[in-house]
Amino acid sequence: MTRWLSADEQAVWRAFLGANKLVFEQLDRELQRDAKIPHAYYEILVRLSEAPERALRMSALADRSQSSRSRLSHAVARLEDQGWVKRESCAEDKRGQIARLTDEGFAALEAAAPLHVESVRRHVFDPLTAEQQRQLKAISTALLAALHDDPDGPART
Amino acid sequence: MTRWLSADEQAVWRAFLGANKLVFEQLDRELQRDAKIPHAYYEILVRLSEAPERALRMSALADRSQSSRSRLSHAVARLEDQGWVKRESCAEDKRGQIARLTDEGFAALEAAAPLHVESVRRHVFDPLTAEQQRQLKAISTALLAALHDDPDGPART
DNA sequence: CTCGGGATGTTGAGGGTTCAACATCCACAG
DNA sequence: CTGTGGATGTTGAACCCTCAACATCCCGAG
């Protein structure tokens, strides 16, 4: 009954698995070394910096940074201790909380960004041809679309 | 000085980032649900099951399962508590430890494998064309090769 | 108006990973 | 032989994430 993987498929899967694990571990390690934060936190700072007023509702921030609400709560608490983010209560919705990037947070992001971009270039873009970069985008988009249609899709709770 | 990402590159990068995070989180979640173990532990069991005698030196197992020695130590300790792996001291090298898959561990792997393969098919292979699968392998291989050449390469300590 | 279901965000426990420090042991130069 | 540098594994602390439970609040049906 089980649709086992063929030898070719195994090879694809193991290459994909290995590359992903190692690439993202490497990026995370360099970011931790250069900016003292994990990649998930960097992502949060980026999304905040792109928002108007550098502020977002927690739930909107969770969606844009592909983070669970729980993870975001913990992360923002830590970033707040660090002085990089401030939490404010929301006027229109008493349940809401608004996360706002502080000047210190923005400065930290500006310091970290060049180093991180260099990491991404070295480990992702430089090794690939322009054609492969296009293929990678198409593949990623297809995977995301499939996941989105899945009945048991990505939990957003 | 910084080689910032172009708009196109940004799009590639964010798609890749998002797809990866969500796909692997989904696979991990389903494996946790179906087999009660994280994917890293599943990987360890697989590598052990493929080895002669279903046993491997810790360091060889660490390499094959793309795991740091520290992580492997913790993981094997936990798998040993669970009765799925046994540790034996190595005859030729008194520093060495050999991890051996128990019958219970093999049975657990046999039970988990079909469900996990189905996950992988649904979330990775089914959404991609045969052509894209070939491309994905080439891309992954290129990323791995670049990482391997890197002076600051994947830490294996 | 009000009540119940859904949404928002937080919390704490449990578990996994990383990092640095460490103990032990091999191997080889001298 | 004998040091000594490198390898092998382990450990504990710190940190991050997940999951389930929870408190709070919005909103629409009746």
Side-chain angles (χ1 to χ4, degrees):
Chain A
M1 288 299 295
T2 302
R3 300 185 293 154
W4 295 106
L5 297 187
S6 70
D8 279 354
E9 288 170 330
Q10 278 262 4
V12 173
W13 174 234
R14 298 214 171 178
F16 183 40
L17 202 56
N20 269 288
K21 198 189 291 200
L22 292 183
V23 166
F24 285 101
E25 276 178 5
Q26 184 66 25
L27 291 177
D28 219 11
R29 195 176 306 118
E30 294 184 8
L31 197 51
Q32 188 76 45
R33 183 195 63 197
D34 298 335
K36 315 298 181 195
I37 55 171
H39 186 267
Y41 287 26
Y42 180 85
E43 189 80 13
I44 290 171
L45 297 182
V46 168
R47 302 303 175 161
L48 275 181
S49 77
E50 291 171 349
E53 311 274 329
R54 292 177 191 163
L56 279 176
R57 281 284 293 267
M58 292 295 281
S59 67
L61 182 53
D63 289 347
R64 299 192 197 188
S65 60
Q66 323 229 61
S67 174
S68 72
R69 278 159 158 73
S70 173
R71 168 164 38 176
L72 184 64
S73 233
H74 288 293
V76 168
R78 191 151 252 289
L79 289 171
E80 199 171 17
D81 290 344
Q82 220 159 339
W84 291 359
V85 166
K86 223 177 8 181
R87 253 187 289 212
E88 306 165 0
S89 50
C90 182
E92 312 89 58
D93 187 337
K94 285 182 185 166
R95 293 168 303 179
Q97 287 285 98
I98 293 177
R100 182 181 305 278
L101 190 61
T102 66
D103 291 341
E104 292 77 20
F106 190 74
L109 183 57
E110 274 192 317
L115 298 167
H116 180 56
V117 169
E118 194 55 41
S119 279
V120 171
R121 272 210 182 285
R122 195 166 54 245
H123 299 304
V124 179
F125 285 95
D126 289 348
L128 301 181
T129 67
E131 179 62 21
Q132 285 178 317
Q133 296 175 17
R134 274 189 292 278
Q135 294 169 357
L136 181 57
K137 183 180 176 187
I139 289 170
S140 300
T141 304
L143 294 180
L144 276 175
L147 211 53
H148 192 271
D149 294 342
D150 201 285
D152 193 20
R156 180 77 39 247
T157 315
Chain B
M1 288 301 293
T2 302
R3 300 185 294 155
W4 296 106
L5 297 187
S6 70
D8 279 355
E9 288 170 330
Q10 277 262 3
V12 173
W13 174 234
R14 298 214 171 179
F16 183 40
L17 202 55
N20 270 288
K21 197 189 292 199
L22 292 183
V23 165
F24 285 101
E25 276 178 5
Q26 184 66 26
L27 291 177
D28 219 12
R29 195 176 305 119
E30 294 184 9
L31 198 51
Q32 188 77 44
R33 184 195 62 198
D34 298 336
K36 315 298 181 196
I37 55 170
H39 185 268
Y41 287 26
Y42 179 85
E43 190 79 14
I44 290 171
L45 297 182
V46 168
R47 301 304 173 159
L48 276 181
S49 77
E50 291 170 351
E53 311 276 329
R54 291 177 191 163
L56 279 176
R57 279 285 292 267
M58 291 297 280
S59 68
L61 182 52
D63 289 346
R64 300 192 196 189
S65 61
Q66 324 230 57
S67 175
S68 73
R69 278 158 157 74
S70 173
R71 167 164 41 177
L72 184 62
S73 233
H74 287 293
V76 167
R78 190 149 252 289
L79 288 171
E80 199 171 19
D81 289 344
Q82 218 160 341
W84 290 359
V85 166
K86 223 177 8 181
R87 252 189 290 213
E88 307 166 0
S89 50
C90 181
E92 313 89 56
D93 188 337
K94 284 181 186 168
R95 294 168 303 179
Q97 286 285 98
I98 293 178
R100 182 181 306 277
L101 190 60
T102 66
D103 291 341
E104 292 78 20
F106 190 74
L109 183 56
E110 274 192 318
L115 298 168
H116 180 56
V117 169
E118 194 55 40
S119 279
V120 171
R121 273 211 181 284
R122 195 166 54 245
H123 299 305
V124 179
F125 285 95
D126 289 348
L128 301 181
T129 67
E131 179 61 21
Q132 286 178 317
Q133 296 175 17
R134 275 189 292 278
Q135 294 169 356
L136 182 57
K137 183 180 175 186
I139 289 170
S140 301
T141 304
L143 294 180
L144 276 175
L147 209 53
H148 192 271
D149 294 342
D150 202 286
D152 193 21
R156 181 77 43 248
T157 314

